[in-house]
Amino acid sequence: MKQFRVEEDFWKLFPEAQLHLVVVKGINNHKPQDERYLIDLLKDGKEAAKGYLTEEVFSQNSVIKEWREAFSTFKTKKGARSSIEALLKRVDQGRDFQPINSLVDIYNSISLTYALPCGGEDLQSIEGDLYLGVAAGGESFLPLGAESDAPALPGEIIYGDEKGAVCRCWNWREAQRTMLKEETTDAVLVIESINPEQHQRADKAVKELKRLVDVYFETESHIEKIAKPSTSVSL
């Protein structure tokens, strides 16, 4: 059984961080999509997200400020931002969200609704165990939509496995190798929070994420939580 571990060098940078995981196995992501349902989920998420954009200047909204400050504490690729900033930027610009695939659409709707970074990995594509920690530098990484390797930088926060990085700059960019696809049957979905106010939202978000996944895929997922001093859970 695969393990997911959080390394000590991550806790040194973010001792208050928490990770909420939903682990789901044996699903059929080929299931005919109820596109209207998924569009409505994303639409509702977009409407909820507007409540976090109360400042006229986008960068002054608390969610944006908190994650930009977090990203300033470790080495990042120039221009890298948190995944929740990317989603909220689309909301701020009045852009709509279109379905990608069922798992991604569901976690994006949760990310928008609770203003928290959410992501997911295909467990069958993970080589060995999955970890979150500080990169040594040079970990192989083929970004989503790219054709050439873009290795991690020394000191960068990454999710990784035995083969390389699977998500760079903490939650900025996903790897093609482990991304959620229609062929995905086993997945881990991750919600990240970095302060007490975000933790309260994450506690609610992970329960709603589990509910949506279980209802949509007619399955029974399970929740795991990692907070210091915990270091690992089974996937």
Side-chain angles (χ1 to χ4, degrees):
M1 181 177 290
K2 288 183 170 68
Q3 298 285 312
F4 172 63
R5 70 179 186 273
V6 179
E7 300 189 335
E8 184 58 32
D9 49 16
F10 173 84
W11 291 130
K12 288 179 180 178
L13 289 172
F14 300 103
E16 288 192 329
Q18 293 184 5
L19 303 174
H20 290 72
L21 284 61
V22 173
V23 182
V24 57
K25 295 185 178 181
I27 64 167
N28 177 14
N29 209 26
H30 276 297
K31 176 182 178 179
Q33 292 183 332
D34 184 344
E35 190 168 274
R36 185 70 260 168
Y37 171 77
L38 296 172
I39 289 173
D40 286 345
L41 270 185
L42 293 166
K43 182 179 179 181
D44 290 345
K46 176 183 173 182
E47 287 303 308
K50 292 177 182 178
Y52 301 96
L53 299 175
T54 58
E55 302 296 328
E56 185 175 349
V57 179
F58 180 73
S59 62
Q60 294 304 304
N61 288 285
S62 60
V63 173
I64 307 305
K65 291 171 67 175
E66 289 164 0
W67 279 100
R68 285 192 181 184
E69 181 179 350
F71 269 46
S72 73
T73 63
F74 62 90
K75 181 68 174 180
T76 62
K77 180 177 173 62
K78 185 177 181 180
R81 301 294 191 190
S82 68
S83 64
I84 186 56
E85 176 168 340
L87 290 180
L88 290 177
K89 189 69 173 179
R90 291 174 64 91
V91 175
D92 190 57
Q93 294 171 341
R95 299 164 64 188
D96 291 328
F97 295 87
Q98 298 302 319
I100 299 172
N101 71 56
S102 302
L103 275 174
V104 173
D105 299 336
I106 288 170
Y107 81 60
N108 274 342
S109 76
I110 292 295
S111 186
L112 288 162
T113 299
Y114 294 93
L116 295 165
C118 299
E121 305 297 343
D122 184 311
L123 284 175
Q124 296 295 336
S125 300
I126 297 293
E127 298 289 338
D129 292 335
L130 179 66
Y131 70 88
L132 174 64
V134 177
E139 288 87 348
S140 178
F141 180 80
L142 182 62
L144 183 62
E147 296 182 358
S148 58
D149 194 51
L153 300 171
E156 182 182 332
I157 296 291
I158 63 169
Y159 286 92
D161 65 3
E162 292 179 0
K163 197 169 183 178
V166 302
C167 192
R168 281 193 57 189
C169 297
W170 196 346
N171 49 48
W172 166 63
R173 187 63 60 83
E174 181 72 33
Q176 291 186 38
R177 177 169 60 88
T178 60
M179 69 181 187
L180 299 176
K181 306 173 286 293
E182 287 188 357
E183 295 77 19
T184 295
T185 59
D186 302 344
V188 56
L189 310 177
V190 184
I191 299 173
E192 300 150 337
S193 55
I194 52 176
N195 60 43
E197 193 274 335
Q198 289 189 15
H199 299 336
Q200 291 182 9
R201 300 204 306 270
D203 287 338
K204 298 175 183 177
V206 73
K207 293 175 184 176
E208 180 64 4
L209 178 58
K210 172 181 165 54
R211 186 188 72 81
L212 290 175
V213 167
D214 288 352
V215 170
Y216 191 88
F217 291 103
E218 300 177 333
T219 188
E220 184 62 37
S221 61
H222 72 271
I223 293 173
E224 300 283 357
K225 179 178 178 180
I226 304 182
K228 191 178 182 181
S230 299
T231 57
S232 65
V233 295
S234 296
L235 298 176

